[in-house]
Amino acid sequence: MRTRTGWRRALLGAFASLTATIGLTAGLSAPAAAAAGTPVAVTKYSHNSEAGDYIGQGAKAAYTPATATITAGGDAEYVRFRVWVESADDVTWWDVELAAPKGEKLRPGVYRNAERAAFRTGRSPGLDVSGDGRGCNEVWGQFSVNQIETDDTGAISVLDASYVQRCDSATAPALRGQVKFRALPLSYSYSSDPDDWIAKGASGTHTGATSTFGLRPWAGGEGLQYNVEGKREYYSALMTPPTGTRFEAGRTYPVANTDGEGVAGLSVSGNGRACNTVTGSLTITDLARDEAGAVEAFAATFVQHCGGGDAALRGTIRYYA
Protein backbone atom coordinates (compact mmCIF):
# COMPACT_ATOMS: atom_id res chain seq x y z
CA MET A 1 0.00 0.00 0.00
CA ARG A 2 1.36 3.39 -0.91
CA THR A 3 0.77 6.78 0.69
CA ARG A 4 1.41 10.27 -0.62
CA THR A 5 3.15 12.47 1.97
CA GLY A 6 1.87 16.03 2.03
CA TRP A 7 -0.63 15.22 -0.67
CA ARG A 8 -3.31 17.66 0.50
CA ARG A 9 -1.09 20.76 0.36
CA ALA A 10 0.56 19.66 -2.87
CA LEU A 11 -2.67 18.89 -4.63
CA LEU A 12 -4.35 22.11 -3.55
CA GLY A 13 -1.54 24.05 -5.15
CA ALA A 14 -1.02 21.90 -8.23
CA PHE A 15 -4.47 20.98 -9.48
CA ALA A 16 -4.49 23.55 -12.28
CA SER A 17 -1.10 22.48 -13.64
CA LEU A 18 -2.03 18.80 -13.34
CA THR A 19 -5.16 19.42 -15.39
CA ALA A 20 -3.09 20.99 -18.15
CA THR A 21 -0.42 18.30 -17.99
CA ILE A 22 -2.66 15.26 -18.48
CA GLY A 23 -5.26 16.94 -20.64
CA LEU A 24 -8.27 16.63 -18.39
CA THR A 25 -11.55 17.79 -19.86
CA ALA A 26 -13.26 20.49 -17.81
CA GLY A 27 -15.84 19.15 -15.37
CA LEU A 28 -19.49 19.58 -16.16
CA SER A 29 -21.52 22.05 -14.20
CA ALA A 30 -24.94 21.01 -12.94
CA PRO A 31 -26.89 20.29 -16.16
CA ALA A 32 -29.59 22.73 -17.16
CA ALA A 33 -33.04 21.39 -17.92
CA ALA A 34 -32.89 19.68 -21.30
CA ALA A 35 -35.05 20.82 -24.17
CA ALA A 36 -38.02 18.59 -24.90
CA GLY A 37 -36.88 15.42 -26.60
CA THR A 38 -33.18 16.03 -25.91
CA PRO A 39 -31.32 13.18 -24.16
CA VAL A 40 -29.45 14.22 -21.00
CA ALA A 41 -25.92 12.88 -20.61
CA VAL A 42 -24.95 11.58 -17.18
CA THR A 43 -21.74 12.36 -15.29
CA LYS A 44 -21.26 10.77 -11.86
CA TYR A 45 -19.05 8.56 -9.72
CA SER A 46 -19.77 6.10 -6.92
CA HIS A 47 -17.97 3.33 -5.06
CA ASN A 48 -18.64 0.79 -2.34
CA SER A 49 -15.70 -0.35 -0.24
CA GLU A 50 -15.71 -3.63 1.66
CA ALA A 51 -14.54 -3.63 5.27
CA GLY A 52 -10.75 -3.78 5.25
CA ASP A 53 -10.29 -2.23 1.82
CA TYR A 54 -7.36 0.19 2.12
CA ILE A 55 -8.47 2.67 -0.54
CA GLY A 56 -12.13 3.20 0.34
CA GLN A 57 -11.72 2.46 4.06
CA GLY A 58 -14.91 0.40 4.12
CA ALA A 59 -17.16 3.33 3.21
CA LYS A 60 -19.49 4.29 0.37
CA ALA A 61 -19.16 7.45 -1.71
CA ALA A 62 -21.20 9.08 -4.47
CA TYR A 63 -20.66 12.31 -6.41
CA THR A 64 -22.34 14.25 -9.21
CA PRO A 65 -21.41 17.57 -10.87
CA ALA A 66 -23.64 19.23 -8.26
CA THR A 67 -21.36 18.08 -5.43
CA ALA A 68 -17.91 17.75 -7.04
CA THR A 69 -15.76 18.66 -10.01
CA ILE A 70 -15.68 15.55 -12.20
CA THR A 71 -13.23 15.35 -15.07
CA ALA A 72 -12.00 12.82 -17.60
CA GLY A 73 -8.85 12.90 -19.67
CA GLY A 74 -6.39 10.82 -21.60
CA ASP A 75 -7.31 8.78 -24.64
CA ALA A 76 -8.62 5.35 -25.57
CA GLU A 77 -5.31 3.76 -24.58
CA TYR A 78 -5.16 5.25 -21.07
CA VAL A 79 -8.09 7.01 -19.37
CA ARG A 80 -7.80 9.19 -16.27
CA PHE A 81 -10.97 10.04 -14.38
CA ARG A 82 -10.96 12.39 -11.38
CA VAL A 83 -13.39 13.49 -8.68
CA TRP A 84 -12.38 16.62 -6.80
CA VAL A 85 -14.14 18.21 -3.80
CA GLU A 86 -12.51 21.30 -2.33
CA SER A 87 -13.50 23.19 0.82
CA ALA A 88 -11.92 26.19 2.52
CA ASP A 89 -9.17 24.16 4.18
CA ASP A 90 -9.38 20.64 2.78
CA VAL A 91 -9.82 18.60 -0.36
CA THR A 92 -11.19 15.14 -1.11
CA TRP A 93 -10.30 13.41 -4.35
CA TRP A 94 -10.56 10.10 -6.15
CA ASP A 95 -8.63 9.02 -9.24
CA VAL A 96 -9.58 6.12 -11.52
CA GLU A 97 -7.12 5.03 -14.21
CA LEU A 98 -8.18 2.52 -16.86
CA ALA A 99 -5.68 1.26 -19.43
CA ALA A 100 -5.88 -1.05 -22.41
CA PRO A 101 -3.24 -3.73 -22.84
CA LYS A 102 -0.09 -2.13 -24.25
CA GLY A 103 -0.45 -1.22 -27.91
CA GLU A 104 -4.26 -1.53 -27.86
CA LYS A 105 -7.22 0.78 -27.31
CA LEU A 106 -10.12 0.46 -24.92
CA ARG A 107 -13.46 -0.47 -26.41
CA PRO A 108 -16.71 -1.81 -24.93
CA GLY A 109 -16.05 -5.11 -23.23
CA VAL A 110 -14.91 -6.83 -20.04
CA TYR A 111 -11.23 -6.56 -19.03
CA ARG A 112 -10.14 -9.25 -16.58
CA ASN A 113 -6.89 -9.85 -14.70
CA ALA A 114 -6.07 -6.15 -14.51
CA GLU A 115 -2.76 -5.02 -13.03
CA ARG A 116 -1.75 -1.61 -11.69
CA ALA A 117 -2.20 0.58 -14.74
CA ALA A 118 1.16 2.33 -14.97
CA PHE A 119 3.06 -0.96 -14.41
CA ARG A 120 0.91 -3.48 -16.33
CA THR A 121 2.81 -6.28 -18.01
CA GLY A 122 2.38 -8.33 -21.14
CA ARG A 123 -1.20 -8.35 -22.41
CA SER A 124 -2.83 -7.36 -19.12
CA PRO A 125 -5.17 -4.36 -18.91
CA GLY A 126 -4.54 -1.70 -16.29
CA LEU A 127 -6.53 -0.42 -13.33
CA ASP A 128 -5.55 1.96 -10.52
CA VAL A 129 -8.05 3.56 -8.15
CA SER A 130 -6.59 5.84 -5.51
CA GLY A 131 -7.82 8.66 -3.31
CA ASP A 132 -7.32 10.81 -0.26
CA GLY A 133 -3.62 9.97 -0.21
CA ARG A 134 -4.03 6.19 -0.44
CA GLY A 135 -2.94 3.99 -3.30
CA CYS A 136 -2.08 0.35 -4.04
CA ASN A 137 1.45 -0.86 -4.74
CA GLU A 138 -0.08 -3.70 -6.73
CA VAL A 139 -3.58 -4.19 -8.11
CA TRP A 140 -5.72 -7.26 -8.78
CA GLY A 141 -9.01 -6.51 -10.48
CA GLN A 142 -11.18 -6.19 -13.53
CA PHE A 143 -13.28 -3.54 -15.21
CA SER A 144 -16.07 -3.32 -17.75
CA VAL A 145 -16.44 -0.61 -20.38
CA ASN A 146 -20.03 0.00 -21.47
CA GLN A 147 -19.36 3.10 -23.55
CA ILE A 148 -16.24 4.94 -24.65
CA GLU A 149 -15.89 7.68 -27.25
CA THR A 150 -13.17 10.14 -28.26
CA ASP A 151 -13.25 13.49 -30.02
CA ASP A 152 -11.40 14.52 -33.17
CA THR A 153 -8.16 14.93 -31.21
CA GLY A 154 -8.42 11.46 -29.67
CA ALA A 155 -9.32 12.78 -26.19
CA ILE A 156 -11.98 11.00 -24.14
CA SER A 157 -15.43 12.54 -24.63
CA VAL A 158 -17.73 9.78 -23.29
CA LEU A 159 -17.08 7.08 -20.70
CA ASP A 160 -19.26 4.56 -18.89
CA ALA A 161 -17.38 1.92 -16.91
CA SER A 162 -17.38 -0.10 -13.70
CA TYR A 163 -14.54 -1.75 -11.80
CA VAL A 164 -13.58 -4.13 -9.01
CA GLN A 165 -10.17 -3.53 -7.42
CA ARG A 166 -8.28 -5.51 -4.75
CA CYS A 167 -5.26 -3.78 -3.27
CA ASP A 168 -1.90 -5.57 -2.84
CA SER A 169 -3.43 -9.07 -2.73
CA ALA A 170 -5.69 -11.13 -4.95
CA THR A 171 -7.79 -11.98 -1.89
CA ALA A 172 -7.94 -8.50 -0.35
CA PRO A 173 -11.31 -6.84 0.33
CA ALA A 174 -12.75 -5.25 -2.80
CA LEU A 175 -13.46 -1.71 -3.87
CA ARG A 176 -16.29 -1.60 -6.44
CA GLY A 177 -17.13 1.53 -8.38
CA GLN A 178 -18.97 3.07 -11.31
CA VAL A 179 -17.67 5.84 -13.55
CA LYS A 180 -19.81 7.89 -15.93
CA PHE A 181 -18.68 10.88 -17.97
CA ARG A 182 -21.21 12.38 -20.39
CA ALA A 183 -22.71 8.92 -20.87
CA LEU A 184 -26.18 8.12 -22.21
CA PRO A 185 -28.10 5.00 -21.08
CA LEU A 186 -27.74 2.00 -23.39
CA SER A 187 -29.22 -1.25 -22.11
CA TYR A 188 -31.92 -3.87 -22.29
CA SER A 189 -33.38 -5.70 -19.30
CA TYR A 190 -36.20 -8.22 -19.13
CA SER A 191 -38.02 -10.61 -16.84
CA SER A 192 -40.61 -13.21 -17.70
CA ASP A 193 -43.19 -15.42 -16.05
CA PRO A 194 -42.48 -19.17 -16.03
CA ASP A 195 -45.01 -19.86 -18.82
CA ASP A 196 -43.91 -17.00 -21.08
CA TRP A 197 -43.11 -18.45 -24.52
CA ILE A 198 -40.39 -15.95 -25.43
CA ALA A 199 -38.03 -15.87 -22.44
CA LYS A 200 -39.16 -19.10 -20.75
CA GLY A 201 -39.19 -17.65 -17.23
CA ALA A 202 -35.72 -16.14 -17.49
CA SER A 203 -34.53 -12.63 -16.66
CA GLY A 204 -31.45 -10.72 -17.67
CA THR A 205 -29.71 -7.43 -18.36
CA HIS A 206 -27.62 -6.44 -21.34
CA THR A 207 -25.14 -3.53 -21.28
CA GLY A 208 -22.53 -2.24 -23.66
CA ALA A 209 -19.78 -4.29 -22.00
CA THR A 210 -21.34 -7.55 -23.18
CA SER A 211 -23.85 -6.75 -25.90
CA THR A 212 -24.49 -4.76 -29.08
CA PHE A 213 -27.58 -2.67 -29.80
CA GLY A 214 -29.33 -1.31 -32.86
CA LEU A 215 -32.28 0.95 -33.63
CA ARG A 216 -33.63 1.60 -37.10
CA PRO A 217 -36.84 2.76 -38.80
CA TRP A 218 -39.53 0.15 -39.38
CA ALA A 219 -42.79 -0.08 -41.33
CA GLY A 220 -42.45 2.99 -43.52
CA GLY A 221 -40.41 5.06 -41.07
CA GLU A 222 -42.79 5.70 -38.16
CA GLY A 223 -42.17 2.30 -36.59
CA LEU A 224 -38.97 1.18 -34.88
CA GLN A 225 -36.93 -2.02 -34.79
CA TYR A 226 -34.72 -2.43 -31.73
CA ASN A 227 -32.18 -5.25 -31.62
CA VAL A 228 -29.86 -6.49 -28.89
CA GLU A 229 -27.52 -9.46 -28.91
CA GLY A 230 -24.99 -10.76 -26.45
CA LYS A 231 -24.43 -13.36 -23.73
CA ARG A 232 -25.72 -16.09 -26.08
CA GLU A 233 -29.04 -14.25 -26.53
CA TYR A 234 -30.76 -12.28 -29.26
CA TYR A 235 -33.87 -10.12 -28.80
CA SER A 236 -35.76 -7.96 -31.26
CA ALA A 237 -38.66 -5.55 -30.66
CA LEU A 238 -40.81 -4.34 -33.57
CA MET A 239 -42.90 -1.33 -32.56
CA THR A 240 -45.36 0.72 -34.62
CA PRO A 241 -47.51 3.63 -33.40
CA PRO A 242 -51.32 3.58 -33.72
CA THR A 243 -52.45 4.01 -37.32
CA GLY A 244 -51.90 7.54 -38.63
CA THR A 245 -49.84 8.75 -35.63
CA ARG A 246 -46.27 9.08 -34.41
CA PHE A 247 -44.85 7.78 -31.15
CA GLU A 248 -44.84 10.38 -28.35
CA ALA A 249 -42.85 10.39 -25.12
CA GLY A 250 -44.96 10.03 -22.01
CA ARG A 251 -47.65 7.93 -23.68
CA THR A 252 -48.76 4.38 -22.80
CA TYR A 253 -50.31 2.44 -25.66
CA PRO A 254 -52.35 -0.75 -25.64
CA VAL A 255 -50.75 -3.17 -28.09
CA ALA A 256 -51.54 -5.93 -30.54
CA ASN A 257 -49.31 -7.78 -32.97
CA THR A 258 -50.18 -5.12 -35.61
CA ASP A 259 -51.11 -1.47 -35.13
CA GLY A 260 -54.66 -0.19 -35.48
CA GLU A 261 -56.89 2.68 -34.43
CA GLY A 262 -55.60 3.72 -30.99
CA VAL A 263 -53.53 0.52 -30.71
CA ALA A 264 -49.77 0.25 -31.19
CA GLY A 265 -48.10 -2.71 -32.79
CA LEU A 266 -45.63 -4.71 -30.69
CA SER A 267 -43.75 -7.91 -31.35
CA VAL A 268 -40.87 -8.84 -29.04
CA SER A 269 -39.12 -12.00 -30.16
CA GLY A 270 -36.10 -13.72 -28.73
CA ASN A 271 -33.77 -16.62 -29.34
CA GLY A 272 -35.83 -17.88 -32.29
CA ARG A 273 -39.23 -17.62 -30.59
CA ALA A 274 -42.03 -15.18 -31.50
CA CYS A 275 -45.74 -14.69 -30.71
CA ASN A 276 -48.54 -15.29 -33.20
CA THR A 277 -50.75 -12.78 -31.37
CA VAL A 278 -49.92 -10.16 -28.74
CA THR A 279 -51.68 -8.18 -26.02
CA GLY A 280 -50.19 -5.89 -23.42
CA SER A 281 -48.84 -2.35 -23.27
CA LEU A 282 -45.99 -0.17 -24.48
CA THR A 283 -44.90 2.98 -22.60
CA ILE A 284 -42.60 5.47 -24.35
CA THR A 285 -40.57 7.13 -21.60
CA ASP A 286 -38.13 9.13 -23.76
CA LEU A 287 -37.83 9.89 -27.45
CA ALA A 288 -35.61 12.28 -29.42
CA ARG A 289 -35.64 12.95 -33.14
CA ASP A 290 -33.01 14.45 -35.42
CA GLU A 291 -33.64 17.43 -37.71
CA ALA A 292 -35.12 15.12 -40.35
CA GLY A 293 -37.57 13.66 -37.84
CA ALA A 294 -35.90 10.26 -37.50
CA VAL A 295 -35.73 8.78 -33.98
CA GLU A 296 -32.15 8.84 -32.71
CA ALA A 297 -32.69 8.18 -29.00
CA PHE A 298 -35.43 6.05 -27.46
CA ALA A 299 -36.48 4.56 -24.13
CA ALA A 300 -39.53 2.42 -23.38
CA THR A 301 -41.01 -0.25 -21.16
CA PHE A 302 -43.33 -3.00 -22.30
CA VAL A 303 -45.51 -5.83 -21.09
CA GLN A 304 -46.21 -8.53 -23.66
CA HIS A 305 -48.66 -11.43 -23.37
CA CYS A 306 -48.19 -14.05 -26.04
CA GLY A 307 -51.07 -15.93 -27.68
CA GLY A 308 -53.75 -14.51 -25.39
CA GLY A 309 -52.23 -16.05 -22.27
CA ASP A 310 -51.70 -14.54 -18.83
CA ALA A 311 -47.92 -15.12 -18.72
CA ALA A 312 -45.96 -11.94 -19.41
CA LEU A 313 -42.61 -10.82 -20.74
CA ARG A 314 -41.65 -7.44 -19.24
CA GLY A 315 -38.80 -5.34 -20.52
CA THR A 316 -37.02 -2.00 -20.47
CA ILE A 317 -35.33 -0.59 -23.55
CA ARG A 318 -32.72 2.21 -23.30
CA TYR A 319 -31.11 3.43 -26.51
CA TYR A 320 -29.07 6.54 -25.64
CA ALA A 321 -32.03 7.95 -23.68
Side-chain angles (χ1 to χ4, degrees), residues 47-59 129 136 140-142 163-167 169-177:
H47 69 225
N48 188 355
S49 170
E50 292 181 350
D53 166 53
Y54 175 63
I55 304 303
Q57 299 283 290
V129 185
C136 306
W140 279 260
Q142 70 174 54
Y163 68 81
V164 179
Q165 174 180 275
R166 300 180 188 274
C167 196
S169 167
T171 59
L175 177 68
R176 295 178 170 84

Side-chain angles (χ1 to χ4, degrees), residues 204-229:
T205 298
H206 292 262
T207 65
T210 60
S211 306
T212 59
F213 305 84
L215 183 73
R216 68 182 183 89
W218 177 258
E222 290 303 331
L224 296 169
Q225 179 178 0
Y226 173 84
N227 298 320
V228 55
E229 62 175 290

Side-chain angles (χ1 to χ4, degrees), residues 28 40 53 93-94 109 145 147 153-154 201-202 206 224 244 277 285 294 307 320:
L28 297 179
V40 178
D53 166 53
W93 59 271
W94 302 99
V145 177
Q147 295 176 53
T153 69
H206 292 262
L224 296 169
T277 61
T285 53
Y320 298 110

Side-chain angles (χ1 to χ4, degrees), residues 19 21-25 71-81 96-108 111 117 120 126 143 145 147-161 181:
T19 300
T21 301
I22 65 176
L24 290 175
T25 304
T71 57
D75 53 30
E77 296 179 5
Y78 201 117
V79 178
R80 299 174 176 89
F81 179 92
V96 180
E97 299 181 9
L98 305 175
K102 293 177 181 178
E104 301 181 19
K105 293 185 177 182
L106 293 171
R107 56 180 177 77
Y111 293 82
R120 63 198 187 280
F143 59 92
V145 177
Q147 295 176 53
I148 185 167
E149 297 179 17
T150 57
D151 62 19
D152 291 342
T153 69
I156 291 296
S157 57
V158 174
L159 180 66
D160 182 349
F181 184 77

Side-chain angles (χ1 to χ4, degrees), residues 188 198 235-238 266-270 273-275 302 304 313:
Y188 173 69
I198 305 301
Y235 281 90
S236 178
L238 302 177
L266 175 68
S267 177
V268 182
S269 58
R273 296 182 292 273
C275 302
F302 65 83
Q304 175 177 275
L313 171 66

Side-chain angles (χ1 to χ4, degrees), residues 97-304:
E97 299 181 9
L98 305 175
K102 293 177 181 178
E104 301 181 19
K105 293 185 177 182
L106 293 171
R107 56 180 177 77
V110 180
Y111 293 82
R112 298 181 173 85
N113 300 317
E115 301 175 359
R116 186 177 166 194
F119 303 96
R120 63 198 187 280
T121 62
R123 300 187 184 278
S124 295
L127 171 67
D128 192 355
V129 185
S130 58
D132 280 353
R134 297 181 297 276
C136 306
N137 289 317
E138 293 187 85
V139 166
W140 279 260
Q142 70 174 54
F143 59 92
S144 298
V145 177
N146 294 314
Q147 295 176 53
I148 185 167
E149 297 179 17
T150 57
D151 62 19
D152 291 342
T153 69
I156 291 296
S157 57
V158 174
L159 180 66
D160 182 349
S162 61
Y163 68 81
V164 179
Q165 174 180 275
R166 300 180 188 274
C167 196
D168 294 337
S169 167
T171 59
L175 177 68
R176 295 178 170 84
Q178 291 188 325
V179 172
K180 292 182 185 290
F181 184 77
R182 297 177 179 170
L184 291 166
L186 181 65
S187 64
Y188 173 69
S189 61
Y190 69 92
S191 63
S192 66
D193 295 334
D195 293 332
D196 168 57
W197 166 244
I198 305 301
K200 298 288 190 179
S203 61
T205 298
H206 292 262
T207 65
T210 60
S211 306
T212 59
F213 305 84
L215 183 73
R216 68 182 183 89
W218 177 258
E222 290 303 331
L224 296 169
Q225 179 178 0
Y226 173 84
N227 298 320
V228 55
E229 62 175 290
K231 302 195 295 187
R232 303 177 186 267
E233 295 185 325
Y234 176 89
Y235 281 90
S236 178
L238 302 177
M239 299 162 284
T240 51
T243 304
T245 69
R246 305 173 88 189
F247 278 132
E248 297 178 21
R251 292 283 304 275
T252 296
Y253 302 91
V255 298
N257 50 303
T258 58
D259 59 88
E261 187 71 27
V263 177
L266 175 68
S267 177
V268 182
S269 58
N271 303 323
R273 296 182 292 273
C275 302
N276 291 322
T277 61
V278 166
T279 57
S281 63
L282 174 66
T283 299
I284 311 300
T285 53
D286 287 288
L287 184 149
R289 300 179 185 273
D290 62 18
E291 293 181 356
V295 175
E296 60 180 356
F298 180 78
T301 61
F302 65 83
V303 179
Q304 175 177 275

